[in-house]
Amino acid sequence: MTNSYASSDDAAVATAGARAGADVVRAMYGRRLDRVDKGAGDFATAADIEAEKAILGVIRAARPEDAVLGEEGGRQGAVGAVRQWLVDPLCGTLNYAVGNMLVAVNVALRDGAAAVADPFGGEVFCTDGETAWVRRDGADDAPLTPTPATRLVDVNLDPPFPSAPGFRAVDLLAHPEFVGRFRPRVVSTTLALAWVAAGKRAAYVTDGGDVSGSVHFAAGIAVCRAAGCVVTGIDGAPLGEAGRGLVVAADDETHGLLMSMIKR
């Protein structure tokens, strides 16, 4: 492959990588795909693997000295590399495998630029680490503007439930204040994070451990932070090694309301 992205900035590389992965995901949609068992009910499809290869091709052409942590291929590149890309080539594999188009392609430079592609919606949510925008097919880039106006909150209900019994996402959905203020939505893809940055969702909540360096969450978190969203763990603490889960809200008021419900 020619080094066609060598002079690009990191945001352009992230965007090109996410688009390359999205192209593969669209092209292979609807086929009968081989599955690779990962255990505990998790699996990858041939589309996950091929999309990651396409993304790695872009990154290697543009940034040959950088390391990569891929969902399917693991760690690759120089052990002592200063920079590392986090790649989730198909977030929402189970959705995809049963013909559901709610999936995302995530590409992030650790502590830097990132992109989240919606393969079937034709949108790529991007950040250079400071500002955030959405790139739509055939349209000019538009800044991302979070807002709680929709009142829609995505809550991840997938197991495991590491914070139970102290916190269970299903309990949050039954909280009287939640029912009075918000409307729940449930998706199995971190595309929902980009939707908060874009004003399509008021917030997103998931349990878990430290998600700050996760290939699943890194790109979405970067886009949300650059757009001005409030980003913490489910305990309200900053993300990091001691963190738990993730709460991303369009504004301080929405974040405060959710935190008060979670803590009670």
Side-chain angles (χ1 to χ4, degrees), residues 26-38:
R26 280 194 307 275
M28 299 185 71
Y29 178 74
R31 299 183 189 178
R32 187 183 297 276
L33 300 173
D34 292 335
R35 297 187 180 189
V36 178
D37 183 25
K38 296 183 178 181

Side-chain angles (χ1 to χ4, degrees), residues 89-107:
L90 178 48
C91 185
T93 298
L94 181 55
N95 283 349
Y96 185 81
V98 298
N100 188 314
M101 294 182 178
L102 284 176
V103 299
V105 176
N106 299 316
V107 179

Side-chain angles (χ1 to χ4, degrees), residues 154-251:
D154 273 305
V155 181
N156 183 8
L157 299 180
D158 285 347
F161 310 112
S163 296
F167 170 75
R168 286 184 292 232
V170 68
D171 294 334
L172 177 63
L173 299 183
H175 195 293
E177 288 185 44
F178 186 95
V179 174
R181 180 64 182 258
F182 302 113
R183 291 293 178 268
R185 292 294 182 272
V186 180
V187 298
S188 296
T189 171
T190 52
L191 182 61
L193 280 172
W195 288 345
V196 179
K200 297 181 179 183
R201 295 290 191 269
Y204 172 87
V205 180
T206 186
D207 197 359
D210 175 18
V211 302
S212 61
S214 166
V215 295
H216 305 292
F217 292 98
I221 289 171
V223 169
C224 286
R225 280 177 165 160
C229 300
V230 182
V231 181
T232 70
I234 58 172
D235 56 358
L239 301 185
E241 293 182 3
R244 291 188 302 130
L246 180 65
V247 177
V248 176
D251 62 357

